[in-house]
Amino acid sequence: MRLRALLETDALGLRLLGGDDELDRTVRGVMTTDLRDPSRYLSGGELVLTGLAWRRDADDSEPFVRILAGAGVVGLAAGEAELGAIPDDLIRACAQHRLPLFAVNESVAFATITEHVVRQVSGERAGDLAAVVDRHRRLMTSGPAGGGPEVVLDLLGSDLDLRAWVLSPTGRRIAGAGEPLDPAVAATLAGEHLGATRTGRRGPHRAVVQGTTYSLFPIRHSGRGAAPAARDVRETVLSDWLLAVEADAADWPAARLDLLQGVTQLIAVERDRRDAARTVRRRLAQEVLELVQTGAAPAEIAARLRVAAPVLLPGLGSAPHWQVIVARVDWSQTAATAAEVAGGPVAQALLEEVLVDPAVAGSDSSDRIAVAHVGDEAIALVPLPAVGPEGIEAGLHADALLAAVQAPLSAGLADDGRLTLGVSAAVHSAEGLRGALEEARHARRVAAARPGRVCAAGHHELASHVLLLPFVPDDVRRAFTARLLDPLRDYDRRHRAELIPTLEAFLDCDGSWTRCATRLHLHVNTLRYRVGRIEQLTGRDLSRLEDKLDFFLALRMS
């Protein structure tokens, strides 16, 4: 709205004292203040209302007006109740800084002016955004030419001055307008959103990160595959996108909230398009896995892989290497969550997201991944460009997969869910796929034996004693380690003898007295005394391979 419209509204009781050539300025907000310097609370475009309590003498007026003009204020309305009339020094200061000045009749409350401005500004912006939403709804329903979610976010910024981003459940940026969102902030927002969703609270959810307030709106399926409202939240919480808006929606009127919900529905169209595009890749993965699991001939599997390779790696001249990743999402059953939740589809959608490079933005970033689900497992076929031996080493690693997603996903899994992942080595042909699948499944079982909401294990761990340790029952592990190590710990506590560190170093040096003494900065005789004390306290002989192995395993399990 413009200043002229305020002056023409009789109910506001405004009288113009100066600045009649500036009445076409646009009012974007209103603020009441009697601070001598209110600049920290101004963002530009406001009509400032003041009762003049800040003015002690004539010298105060010019600095006050200078601060307002510098902050981009469009007009000043001064009340007559305090001084009876507006001082001449204030009128001169406003004329000097070309700031329109109004007198407010003492019979008119500032609240009346505030309510009028807020109502007019909000109504105009809501009307503008309604037109934006309607226009873009037509664009997006006409097909990909509509520009996707980026266009919606651009319009939010230009029409309502709102910065917003579409994020995946792991915090990966799918779309955004203007400056990018810091990845750490995005991951935190995703975790806040998932945690709030698991508690059953309705969106938008409020989150404050690094001093900035965000409102988080869920983006749900809108097409034929849309989930019914009564569906268990655990089926979609790990796959739903969210709209993060840099604003506090708690201060918004209902009309604006409704409009933002409409924006999320527009973005959901893009999400449905993304899911439809994955259908072909999912079907390819399903067909390959069925051949592998039913024992089909390698030639038949190889033929199917030749069909899949151009879809997943377009333009690739040679056959890729392949890696297999197995994921499983398990939900514990309680009285509050008695319903069964199919883990396969949840793990499939989640694995499609986890396997995307978190630094890659966009909704089509997983077009080089094929994921199927078999029962409660999701299984991914990941093609790797075959560039000599380096192509094999460039494959995915279990720890790297979890680095960027562990925190937000743990929030979504809450206290009743677990995600476990197993990663195979890369194989160069169809003959190796069956072994890679079993390797990935076995690695996932190793991960499942570990504590934590989100765990992963890789193929390199399967050629080690680490493979066996997770499957030893807890009570057996505790008894075994206590029998060997508790006497040494007790002795260390009483005498500060450092027998445990000595034992670790001795085993790490393969029983070499000289190397171990050098590492510990000890004389060899001191080392021999400590090892002798270890043998005396435990009844073991560290010159025997069996006893060395027992100590080694006890230290690893402790």
Side-chain angles (χ1 to χ4, degrees), residues 458-483:
H459 59 90
H460 61 282
E461 299 182 60
L462 303 186
S464 165
H465 64 280
V466 176
L467 172 66
L468 302 175
L469 296 185
F471 300 101
V472 178
D474 287 343
D475 54 347
V476 175
R477 294 172 67 173
R478 285 193 294 269
F480 180 74
T481 57
R483 186 165 60 251

Side-chain angles (χ1 to χ4, degrees), residues 392-465:
I392 296 179
E393 295 302 322
L396 298 170
H397 294 275
D399 293 341
L401 286 177
L402 298 185
V405 303
Q406 192 157 17
L409 292 184
S410 295
L413 291 163
D415 294 329
D416 61 344
R418 289 199 75 205
L419 166 67
T420 50
L421 294 170
V423 183
S424 80
V427 295
H428 68 279
S429 66
E431 288 86 347
L433 271 183
R434 180 175 297 175
L437 176 58
E438 289 306 314
E439 189 174 57
R441 280 176 166 162
H442 206 46
R444 192 206 64 77
R445 287 193 289 270
V446 170
R450 295 172 176 168
R453 289 289 162 198
V454 182
C455 298
H459 59 90
H460 61 282
E461 299 182 60
L462 303 186
S464 165
H465 64 280

Side-chain angles (χ1 to χ4, degrees), residues 175-206:
E179 296 181 8
L181 188 63
D182 180 84
V185 173
T188 301
L189 291 176
E192 292 277 348
H193 174 73
L194 291 173
T197 302
R198 284 306 313 277
T199 64
R201 288 193 283 124
R202 293 175 58 87
H205 307 123
R206 184 177 184 272

